[in-house]
Amino acid sequence: MTTFRIGEAAELLGVSADTVRRWIDSGRLTASRDDQGQGHRLISGADLAAFVRERASAPDAGAGSSSARNRLRGIVTAITKDQVMAQVDLQVGPFRVVSLMSREAVDELGLEVGSLGTAVVKSTNVVVERVDR
């Protein structure tokens, strides 16, 4: 079974290790002590996945009806426009999401650097790779 130390879980969730400790101490997230006698707390991969699913189940405020389930909320960090198209950079936690759209769409949405935005991803072709630690 895959397990994660508090720091690893914090990095995956985009929060501090102290936040993960508080979730464990309050009972929101389950952890066990390692069997090496060092007392490190470990979170099972299944428990962490369930916790993430629970946190993600609340839709964004203002989200309309859509079949897209992948909604990434972040802050606009850059906008590059030409006469027809625009590139919008959104910082979503530790990730940079780049969208190409019409200049007209950027103007109609009133997007500017510092605006909050949600990247909505609808794709039938997503590659998932296993990461060995």
Side-chain angles (χ1 to χ4, degrees), residues 17-130:
D18 286 338
T19 297
V20 174
R21 283 187 198 92
R22 283 192 294 276
W23 287 337
I24 292 169
D25 293 342
S26 70
R28 290 181 61 196
L29 183 60
T30 304
S32 60
R33 298 282 179 179
D34 70 3
D35 56 0
Q36 305 298 320
Q38 296 179 13
H40 294 292
R41 291 189 275 190
L42 301 174
I43 304 160
S44 78
D47 287 343
L48 188 59
F51 180 76
V52 170
R53 277 192 308 273
E54 179 182 305
R55 288 186 67 216
S57 64
D60 287 344
S65 296
S66 173
S67 63
R69 298 290 180 251
N70 304 302
R71 306 180 72 80
L72 311 169
R73 186 173 173 169
I75 187 167
V76 175
T77 57
I79 298 175
T80 306
K81 297 182 194 178
D82 67 16
Q83 293 200 347
V84 177
M85 296 298 293
Q87 174 181 314
V88 178
D89 292 22
L90 194 68
Q91 192 67 35
V92 179
F95 304 104
R96 175 179 171 236
V97 177
V98 177
S99 177
L100 300 176
M101 64 182 75
S102 69
R103 178 189 179 108
E104 180 181 21
V106 171
D107 293 341
E108 286 178 2
L109 290 169
L111 294 177
E112 57 187 30
V113 172
S115 297
L116 284 177
T118 301
V120 180
V121 181
K122 175 79 173 180
S123 177
T124 57
N125 186 17
V126 176
V127 176
V128 176
E129 298 176 335
R130 179 185 170 104

